[in-house]
Amino acid sequence: MSSYTLAHLDHLEHEAIFVLREVAAQFERTGLLFSGGKDSIVLARLAQKAFAPAKPPFPLVHIDTGHNFPETLAYRDWFATDLGVRLIVRQVEDSITAGRCTEEKGPNPSRNSLQTVTLLDTIEEFKFDACLGGARRDEEKARAKERFFSHRDEFGQWDPKNQRPELWNLFNGRKHTGEHFRVFPLSNWTEMDVWQYIAREKLRIPDLYFSHHRKIVNRDGVLLALTPHLTLLDGELCEQRTVRFRTVGDATCTGAVESTASTLAEIIQEVASARVTERGGRADDRRSDTAMEDRKKAGYF
């Protein structure tokens, strides 16, 4: 890496660590939302650095849709053990069984939006007054409206027009009873920054991010992995392709990309030349132009 790249990553790292320490100072009960994806891996690594030699003071919190890739779940369990922190897992399936939310109907049902109910219930269960997330402003236009400290009302809802100013790195964590904050230390990072940081820190990541052979279904231009949770529609064909994933969320809506990138250096080169955002392959984001913003206003990540 060039000296400029290293200096840039150092600046982003220092900024994120400052935000993490502000969270520890201003809030009593914080959870780190962890999906097993690259952004939450980097966020957990930053938390490890921020509070070394002590362990990070935040538990990892995973809201499991029940439709995750097995590779992601195996990595999640390994990572929590390796980091030496508590792992809290709550299941969307339990929310459905309890009648707290309803499974989608139709040919391409997804549990992605149903995570909102389970997440808000988990926040209430553990009385979290802050939840750390790995969202970045370059991911999607709704993400770009976030502050570092994103205020949520007593119903867990987000109002993009009612957020606090953040001048001179001063963060206002004041809240009323029942309210909480989502905090995004990676707000100024890009996908490229994340990959370069992973390479610099030599972080282990799920194998899904690297090129591999997998059975794929092309559904409206989105390459979906054939899993037990995906039902083939009339006329659809399953074929073997060489792919990798840029995100590792719910398998029913996370699209793969055809790729031969099998190393971090090759992934970085591929990302540098990409003309589609990493969420461009997410089937749930294609449902409407405001799909992400609508979910966030309801309490989504």
Side-chain angles (χ1 to χ4, degrees), residues 69 71 206-218 221-226 239-248 254-263 266-267 270:
F69 292 99
E71 297 96 324
D207 293 338
L208 289 167
Y209 282 118
F210 298 105
S211 175
H212 59 284
H213 299 296
R214 184 176 289 268
K215 291 182 179 179
I216 291 295
V217 176
N218 188 335
V222 178
L223 304 182
L224 297 175
L226 183 64
E239 53 186 323
Q240 193 90 4
R241 294 201 190 182
T242 302
V243 299
R244 73 176 191 87
F245 291 87
R246 292 175 72 182
T247 63
V248 293
T254 302
V257 294
E258 292 193 88
S259 171
T260 58
S262 57
T263 67
E266 290 173 345
I267 289 175
E270 185 179 271

Side-chain angles (χ1 to χ4, degrees), residues 41 74-75 78-79 198 201-207:
I41 293 169
Y75 178 89
W78 169 84
F79 187 89
I198 287 171
E201 299 292 305
K202 298 181 173 58
L203 300 180
R204 175 180 166 185
I205 58 176
D207 293 338

Side-chain angles (χ1 to χ4, degrees), residues 29 180 207:
R29 290 175 295 277
H180 72 277
D207 293 338

Side-chain angles (χ1 to χ4, degrees), residues 100-119:
R100 297 280 295 140
C101 54
T102 304
E103 190 92 71
E104 286 187 1
K105 307 295 183 183
N108 192 32
S110 170
R111 289 183 174 180
N112 215 34
S113 63
L114 303 187
Q115 293 178 90
T116 299
V117 172
T118 311
L119 172 61

